[in-house]
Amino acid sequence: MQGVALAYDLIRFAKPGAVLLLDQDGRIASAAAARLHRLTGFECSWGECDALDSAALGEQLAGHTVACSCVPYWMHRKVIEAALGVGVSVIDLGQDTCDTLATLELDAEARAGVAAVVVGLEGHEHLGQRAHEHGHRGRERLLLEGRGHERIMV
């Protein structure tokens, strides 16, 4: 549901050129695309993909600009690794402490590449402290920046 809600908002307010919905169950992705079409008139592409299969996910993400990761918290790092592998930026909607801290370990890879990763840090005092230790500010959301991307604190 989080991914469909995000796609709806992107379609309504960001006016993307294309949206690809992925799920491990193609029927769910197809139904989500149909629902979004009914609500917005926008034709989404959809596909079936296991988020833990980095090679398959990388193939699906290649050529896209941004991936919004709405998978269970413990899967975000795999999605981010697959996306960075094909130069796609990622917005990670998870905020699990351990997994978000693990995602910070990808900072150097993101900075060396052309992609950016946004991880959710809002509301976690200890994550804010850890981000500060990594050279980032406070309890704000953190952008792991890559070349060609403006550093953005939301």
Side-chain angles (χ1 to χ4, degrees):
M1 292 297 290
Q2 185 180 34
V4 177
L6 174 64
Y8 176 83
D9 284 346
L10 286 172
I11 292 165
R12 289 286 313 264
F13 303 110
K15 309 293 187 217
V19 173
L20 171 64
L21 304 172
L22 296 174
D23 194 280
Q24 68 180 359
D25 184 338
R27 296 171 298 176
I28 292 172
S30 173
R35 180 173 184 218
L36 287 166
H37 186 261
R38 282 192 311 275
L39 293 171
T40 67
F42 190 90
E43 193 71 39
C44 296
S45 301
W46 62 271
E48 183 172 303
C49 188
D50 179 352
L52 297 178
D53 183 342
S54 295
L57 184 57
E59 286 178 26
Q60 291 277 6
L61 296 177
H64 292 277
T65 306
V66 177
C68 299
S69 181
C70 302
V71 297
Y73 70 91
W74 55 273
M75 298 170 74
H76 284 291
R77 183 176 174 117
K78 284 287 200 183
V79 171
I80 292 167
E81 290 170 344
L84 290 178
V86 295
V88 174
S89 295
V90 184
I91 298 172
D92 168 0
L93 298 182
Q95 290 194 352
D96 178 73
T97 303
C98 294
D99 292 290
T100 300
L101 289 175
T103 302
L104 291 174
E105 296 170 4
L106 298 172
D107 188 50
E109 183 179 347
R111 288 174 188 267
V114 296
V117 179
V118 180
V119 292
L121 296 179
E122 189 172 337
H124 295 287
E125 295 289 339
H126 52 290
L127 284 178
Q129 178 58 38
R130 181 64 180 262
H132 180 71
E133 292 167 8
H134 279 37
H136 306 288
R137 297 184 318 198
R139 292 175 41 230
E140 299 161 316
R141 292 187 187 273
L142 170 65
L143 171 65
L144 305 181
E145 60 181 327
R147 279 181 279 149
H149 291 273
E150 178 181 351
R151 185 181 181 122
I152 301 169
M153 297 301 234
V154 186

